[in-house]
Amino acid sequence: MIRALAAAALLASVSAPALAQNSAPAQTAPYTNTIPDARDIPYPGTLTLDIDATDTGRGIFNVKETIPVAKSGHMVLLYPKWIPGKHGPRGEIEKLGGLVIKANGKVIPWKRDPVDVFAFHIDVPAGAKKLDVSFNFVSATVGDQGRIVMTPNLASVQFFSLSLYPAGYYTRRIPIQAKVTYPDGWTASSAVDAKVSGNVYTYDKTNYDVLMDSPVLAGRHYRQIKLTDRVSVETYADTPEELAATPDQVQKLKNLVDQAVKTFGVEHYDHYRFLFSISDELGGIGVEHHRSSEDGTGLGFFTKWDEKVTSRNLLPHEYTHSWDGKFRRGADLWTADFRQPMRGSLLWVYEGQTQFWGYVLQARSGLVSKADTLEAYAGIAASLDNRQGRTWRPMGDTTNDPVISPRAPKGWVSWERSEDYYNEGLLIWMDADSVIREKSGGTKSIDDFARIFFGGRDGDYGEVTYTFDDVVATLNQVVPYDWHKFLDERVNQVSDRAPLKGFERGGYKLVYTDVPNKSTMRGGGGIDLSYSLGLSIGTKGISGVMWGSPAFDAGLTLADEIVAVNGQVFTADKLRDAVKAAKGAKEPIKLTVKRGSRYRDVAIDYHDGLRYPHLEKISEGEAGLDKLLQPK
């Protein structure tokens, strides 16, 4: 033992100077970006994709791709990184496997870029006319790996996960044709038409941009619901029973298209397909495309219609994006390829006004009743009005959230904020509508803005970009006002309160009563006490604590589990009853909470009873908000 210690000491004395001399890292060569920038020139040749989507048991897509080349030498192949509709670098590069690139029948070594890991460098050998690329996309099989896109009965085929493209070109200048093999007996739907031979769909030749914007929904159980000669709901489900839409439900979907076209004046597509999945196995989704949308809900959309009210906003929201976000797109969000970063400074228009129109159109079409729409508005208004994060973080800064934290869970949403441009954008446009009505003496409304801003040639599905000043100019075209100041204050400045004047000018105000709000009621044993105790309970315990609330002041967090209420075993009903009993009393509500293996007692000094948000009418007769929600 003594000898060992002595040897260790000797080693330390010898090693220390050597380590000191070499403590500075060796100089490395500076990184040189050898990835060519995209240019607006045609690509010399047509890419072809051959996708095997039959391995539904393991969720593996096998891809063969042919990429023509015009010359030898250095070349870069890119995997789509910045995904439209996700507003951030959300390409699932981690799921790409087995990449092999060949030319003239021989394997070409590839090297991943050390900075942009979505880029692969190769050297094209002399005489090569094309590259033969093969890889697989190993999709998620459990929820913590990402969205599940393949099940035994359904598949969501997103081409941006299943292709590479050559750097140096605008992607809209790269021709491509795709072929997909599905399981026997399946049907597939996409905005790009296809020739079908058995279980093989060969899609029409198009450009890379359009194909990436035209995903496929495929499955075993399928029903097409025609809404007009140009619009259909391509419906797929886990079981055939889930496809049973009633005539009344179909009529409400037809009303949605009718009301949208009357609102915007034209249709910016040759045809539009809702790619609608009803499944508890395929991952839920809501992503916009120009001539389609990916819309995924849980079971019961048609069969449990009265229980699924809140899920029905998905279709009008994504449909509105065909005009707002796809046809009209923020200038700093438009990019030449999928490598160039997207900037979302105008997402309060792209998503915020789409959120606004989604709720308006659900009411105008009867897809959701006016009463339920008002309840949803109240829930949105209360959430943002009680969000203390607004005192330090402007709403406009939340347009960076898709990059900062792409929908990752946050512990203190009411303080950190999270993509508030959706719902606070809705409130801003509600406010704008009320100002237009007021300044025009009721002769104009936000509908006039929509017909100007989102109008144009019917059937044109090109893209028209806009800036902040373009939005201001169009509003001034509707009614003169200091719209620049109006928007700047609401988008770029902090505030103590949410912009709720639109409801008040529209004849309603936000109030709180002890009657639960239907849009925020929680099933499965959950309970929403956000505006009383300042906490909500989900199926797995505390799901939210409002910053600055009584629950916050008592030290509660999402990590805590409530095990007892006033000395009795916890249930949601007992907690609700305790809040009611404490109204006007002196004794606090006593909770026993568990965090890990530790228990502690917590006293919440709250005595104002149950509080749930609602909109209360404050004007006589038909008010502005009533008119806004009326069918056209």
Side-chain angles (χ1 to χ4, degrees):
M1 176 65 75
I2 294 174
R3 288 180 181 175
L5 290 171
L10 177 61
L11 179 62
S13 67
V14 172
S15 301
L19 289 171
Q21 291 172 6
N22 293 286
S23 59
Q27 285 284 348
T28 58
Y31 171 70
T32 303
N33 185 359
T34 55
I35 304 174
D37 291 331
R39 296 171 295 161
D40 192 4
I41 58 175
Y43 186 74
T46 299
L47 281 60
T48 61
L49 272 179
D50 187 348
I51 299 166
D52 185 332
T54 61
D55 193 350
T56 60
R58 296 179 298 184
I60 298 172
F61 294 84
N62 292 298
V63 179
K64 294 180 180 179
E65 182 173 9
T66 301
I67 302 175
V69 292
K71 62 180 181 179
S72 60
H74 178 250
M75 183 177 184
V76 179
L77 299 179
L78 300 173
Y79 189 79
K81 179 179 183 179
W82 289 79
I83 308 302
K86 297 186 178 181
H87 314 311
R90 304 272 295 281
E92 293 185 287
I93 186 69
E94 75 281 1
K95 293 182 173 63
L96 182 148
L99 177 62
V100 176
I101 304 172
K102 293 182 179 180
N104 298 328
K106 296 181 179 179
V107 174
I108 301 175
W110 55 263
K111 184 176 179 60
R112 193 189 301 265
D113 192 87
V115 174
D116 186 346
V117 297
F118 290 71
F120 300 90
H121 297 263
I122 61 172
D123 285 316
V124 178
K129 300 299 182 183
K130 63 183 178 68
L131 302 175
D132 295 308
V133 180
S134 62
F135 63 91
N136 47 50
F137 180 75
V138 288
S139 70
T141 53
V142 293
D144 62 3
Q145 297 171 358
R147 177 175 176 253
I148 294 173
V149 298
M150 183 179 276
T151 77
N153 289 311
L154 292 164
S156 175
V157 181
Q158 298 172 315
F159 291 110
F160 55 73
S161 294
L162 304 170
S163 61
L164 299 172
Y165 67 95
Y169 300 84
Y170 280 22
T171 46
R172 61 185 173 88
R173 304 298 299 275
I174 302 174
I176 188 168
Q177 185 166 35
K179 179 175 71 174
V180 183
T181 302
Y182 301 100
D184 291 337
W186 281 33
T187 306
S189 303
S190 173
V192 176
D193 290 329
K195 294 180 176 63
V196 182
S197 177
N199 61 340
V200 178
Y201 283 58
T202 302
Y203 293 92
D204 292 348
K205 179 180 173 181
T206 185
N207 68 62
Y208 195 82
D209 257 11
V210 169
L211 187 66
M212 297 306 106
D213 193 45
S214 305
V216 178
L217 181 60
R220 193 178 309 280
H221 308 298
Y222 164 70
R223 176 187 178 184
Q224 182 186 69
I225 302 174
K226 291 284 289 184
L227 303 183
T228 70
D229 59 349
R230 294 164 74 172
V231 182
S232 62
V233 183
E234 306 293 312
T235 316
Y236 294 79
D238 289 345
T239 65
E241 291 76 17
E242 289 292 328
L243 304 174
T246 67
D248 181 64
Q249 292 164 351
V250 171
Q251 185 58 54
K252 287 178 168 60
L253 292 171
K254 289 181 177 181
N255 295 345
L256 169 60
V257 177
D258 176 66
Q259 289 299 312
V261 175
K262 286 178 177 176
T263 296
F264 300 117
V266 297
E267 295 170 89
H268 288 296
Y269 44 76
D270 51 350
H271 56 250
Y272 188 94
R273 290 162 185 164
F274 291 94
L275 306 179
F276 185 39
S277 59
I278 306 172
S279 174
D280 278 350
E281 297 179 355
L282 195 73
I285 193 171
V287 176
E288 66 274 13
H289 303 284
H290 208 140
R291 298 186 296 158
S292 65
S293 56
E294 296 174 276
D295 310 287
T297 70
L299 299 180
F301 183 86
F302 293 124
T303 60
K304 297 181 180 179
W305 184 259
D306 292 338
E307 300 173 28
K308 301 290 182 177
V309 174
T310 57
S311 67
R312 296 206 288 274
N313 180 256
L314 176 64
L315 298 181
H317 179 98
E318 301 304 344
Y319 184 41
T320 296
H321 270 312
S322 182
W323 292 267
D324 185 3
K326 304 308 288 188
F327 173 65
R328 294 305 305 266
R329 193 174 308 182
D332 59 356
L333 197 65
W334 187 93
T335 57
D337 65 7
F338 301 104
R339 179 172 180 257
Q340 182 178 332
M342 299 174 180
R343 292 162 292 169
S345 69
L346 291 160
L347 285 174
W348 51 273
V349 183
Y350 181 124
E351 294 289 6
Q353 192 168 149
T354 293
Q355 191 81 330
F356 169 85
W357 285 118
Y359 280 95
V360 170
L361 291 174
Q362 74 174 27
R364 288 183 180 180
S365 66
L367 198 59
V368 176
S369 70
K370 176 184 175 182
D372 286 337
T373 300
L374 292 174
E375 282 285 82
Y377 282 150
I380 289 169
S383 172
L384 290 162
D385 201 37
N386 287 275
R387 189 159 290 189
Q388 292 206 15
R390 63 185 313 103
T391 63
W392 73 270
R393 189 180 185 196
M395 182 279 290
D397 186 60
T398 72
T399 61
N400 295 301
D401 279 348
V403 180
I404 295 172
S405 176
R407 298 188 179 167
K410 291 185 176 183
W412 301 100
V413 173
S414 60
W415 183 243
E416 298 167 273
R417 309 194 76 170
S418 179
E419 297 192 58
D420 287 355
Y421 54 84
Y422 277 90
N423 280 333
E424 195 152 331
L426 180 157
L427 298 182
I428 289 172
W429 290 107
M430 182 70 72
D431 202 357
D433 175 63
S434 71
V435 170
I436 293 170
R437 292 177 189 274
E438 182 181 81
K439 298 299 179 182
S440 69
T443 62
K444 294 183 178 180
S445 71
I446 195 70
D447 288 82
D448 295 279
F449 173 90
R451 293 181 73 87
I452 298 170
F453 198 73
F454 301 115
R457 295 181 301 177
D458 188 76
D460 181 357
Y461 53 96
E463 299 161 2
V464 179
T465 60
Y466 61 87
T467 64
F468 184 98
D469 289 341
D470 292 329
V471 177
V472 170
T474 306
L475 285 166
N476 274 312
Q477 191 175 341
V478 176
V479 64
Y481 187 64
D482 192 349
W483 291 108
H484 190 284
K485 180 181 178 183
F486 173 93
L487 294 175
D488 179 66
E489 288 178 348
R490 288 157 179 77
V491 173
N492 300 317
Q493 309 300 322
V494 296
S495 61
D496 293 334
R497 305 296 301 274
L500 303 183
K501 292 293 184 182
F503 289 120
E504 294 170 12
R505 292 193 197 95
Y508 289 80
K509 71 174 181 179
L510 179 66
V511 298
Y512 296 87
T513 75
D514 60 2
V515 178
N517 179 305
K518 290 198 295 182
S519 73
T520 60
M521 290 176 66
R522 296 170 182 265
I527 180 173
D528 185 6
L529 299 174
S530 298
Y531 310 111
S532 51
L533 295 186
L535 60 80
S536 53
I537 307 291
T539 56
K540 298 181 180 179
I542 294 178
S543 58
V545 176
M546 299 282 280
W547 193 275
S549 68
F552 177 88
D553 292 341
L556 291 176
T557 77
L558 268 67
D560 294 322
E561 176 189 357
I562 302 174
V563 297
V565 180
N566 290 336
Q568 295 185 316
V569 174
F570 166 80
T571 66
D573 286 339
K574 286 178 182 175
L575 181 57
R576 187 186 294 108
D577 290 343
V579 174
K580 292 166 63 176
K583 185 174 183 179
K586 295 182 179 179
E587 290 296 315
I589 299 168
K590 296 177 181 178
L591 306 178
T592 301
V593 300
K594 178 178 180 287
R595 184 186 303 181
S597 60
R598 296 185 299 275
Y599 292 82
R600 74 183 192 277
D601 292 324
V602 171
I604 302 182
D605 194 20
Y606 174 78
H607 306 284
D608 290 334
L610 295 170
R611 298 178 77 243
Y612 301 101
H614 304 279
L615 288 184
E616 178 182 90
K617 192 162 185 179
I618 55 175
S619 64
E620 297 292 333
E622 190 178 57
L625 183 53
D626 299 317
K627 294 177 181 178
L628 177 67
L629 299 182
Q630 278 182 350
K632 293 179 71 68

